[in-house]
Amino acid sequence: MHKITVVMGAMFAALAAASAHAQNYPAKTVRIVVPFPAGGSTDIIGRVVAEQLTAAFGQQAIVDNRPGANGVIGTELVAKAAPDGYTLLTYDPVRDFTAIIQIAQVPNVLVVHPSLPVKTAKGLIALAKANPGKLTFSSSGSGSSDHMSGELFKSMGRVDLVHVPYKGGAPAITDAIAGQVSMTFSNQPTALPHVKTGKLRGIAVTSIKRSSAAPELPTIDESGIKGFDVSSWVGVNAPANLPREIVSRLNAEIVKGMSSPAGRERLNQLAFDPVLSTPDQYAAHIKAEVAKWAQVAKTAGAKLD
């Protein structure tokens, strides 16, 4: 009982200190942790946010890349940081954080090697059912968006596909192009250039609605698997229990920056659809996504990194 009292006391003390400084926030550099290598979509959006916050606050906002373990290393670093608004996180599936804003979302694209004799999701399902356990799909790692897209496709389409995990999206799509795997559910910014050059055949997008970046591609939903809906998303989070006034200030500044012509142009270049949610909307989205994918993983018996 004494141990619980000490822990709770420490937590309330941290909250009190953060609240006292909220009215003067920010008074020093704000660090935005990106739990992936530099150059990827999440990193690029993180840097846009850093530029905008630097201009808005008159204090430097910097990006700190902490890749590894499919995002776990950077995520844990932020989870353990003080809830004072000086350590933020750009990430997608998250837990145990203060939700600030969902910036954007983007579908994955189901692509196959051109040698595979299918042009639609229906055709792919038929081929898979005729060859159980013989078709493979690559992913950027167990528990990633592209992996879980494949698991949901297997479950809803009632087909037997073999998952081949890689350490990152680049080798996963490289082997799809080389024909080492039958298909992959790559994120849209990575997949579309290879579809346009003919190195891969675009079959469908994973979102419930067609993508503005590739309106010619049908959705998996309209291709026969009703209700199929997967989108990767990027948001900004902070350690749990961040004071509400800081949450509101960060949300307002990011909405302002990402709504500007320059912000929207950067998202369009990345083939991301802007969302710009409220903190409460983002928190509800996270809760729904965690529940959805926990069930998919349980059904598939998938091991998440």
Side-chain angles (χ1 to χ4, degrees):
M1 191 67 180
H2 176 68
K3 183 177 181 181
I4 294 175
T5 303
V6 170
V7 171
M8 291 300 289
M11 183 183 74
F12 289 135
L15 285 172
S19 296
H21 292 292
Q23 59 185 343
N24 298 318
Y25 174 84
K28 61 181 181 180
T29 297
V30 174
R31 178 174 57 151
I32 301 175
V33 175
V34 175
F36 302 108
S41 300
T42 305
D43 174 67
I44 293 171
I45 291 178
R47 292 179 187 279
V48 173
V49 171
E51 292 171 4
Q52 294 165 348
L53 292 183
T54 296
F57 289 160
Q59 290 284 351
Q60 191 73 19
I62 62 171
V63 167
D64 181 5
N65 294 94
R66 295 296 183 100
N70 204 19
V72 172
I73 291 175
T75 304
E76 288 187 343
L77 184 153
V78 177
K80 296 175 182 177
D84 54 11
Y86 292 102
T87 304
L88 307 177
L89 176 77
T90 54
Y91 193 46
D92 23 60
V94 293
R95 59 183 183 272
D96 299 330
F97 294 97
T98 298
I100 294 173
I101 184 172
Q102 182 186 352
I103 295 176
Q105 64 184 20
V106 65
N108 292 330
V109 182
L110 169 55
V111 290
V112 302
H113 189 267
S115 65
L116 210 66
V118 296
K119 294 185 177 180
T120 65
K122 286 183 179 179
L124 179 58
I125 290 173
L127 181 65
K129 287 186 175 180
N131 299 274
K134 293 184 179 180
L135 299 185
T136 55
F137 74 97
S138 62
S139 80
S140 57
S142 296
S144 59
S145 174
D146 45 354
H147 171 211
M148 300 315 290
S149 293
E151 295 295 348
L152 188 61
F153 188 84
K154 286 170 58 178
S155 174
M156 295 183 71
R158 299 184 180 182
V159 292
D160 181 10
L161 305 176
V162 177
H163 174 225
V164 183
Y166 288 79
K167 293 183 178 179
I173 201 164
T174 296
D175 267 14
I177 292 170
Q180 297 298 316
V181 292
S182 309
M183 71 196 82
T184 190
F185 293 80
S186 183
N187 69 71
Q188 184 169 267
T190 301
L192 289 185
H194 300 300
V195 172
K196 291 177 180 178
T197 60
K199 293 180 180 179
L200 291 169
R201 179 181 299 131
I203 298 296
V205 293
T206 60
S207 51
I208 200 70
K209 296 180 179 179
R210 291 199 183 200
S211 169
S212 58
E216 72 281 3
L217 290 177
T219 66
I220 292 178
D221 170 85
E222 66 184 271
S223 301
I225 303 182
K226 303 305 294 182
F228 192 100
D229 184 16
V230 180
S231 289
S232 298
W233 40 276
V234 177
V236 177
N237 305 268
N241 303 313
L242 184 67
R244 189 70 184 188
E245 53 264 49
I246 295 180
V247 173
S248 298
R249 174 91 189 276
L250 285 167
N251 182 277
E253 295 296 351
I254 295 171
V255 167
K256 181 180 178 182
M258 298 307 293
S259 297
S260 68
R264 287 188 174 274
E265 181 182 2
R266 194 71 68 91
L267 290 178
N268 287 335
Q269 289 172 347
L270 292 170
F272 272 80
D273 294 321
V275 176
L276 304 180
S277 70
T278 66
D280 289 343
Q281 289 170 336
Y282 184 30
H285 177 73
I286 292 171
K287 185 176 180 180
E289 286 285 280
V290 168
K292 173 182 176 178
W293 294 113
Q295 184 58 48
V296 172
K298 181 180 179 180
T299 300
K303 295 181 179 179
L304 309 185
D305 290 340

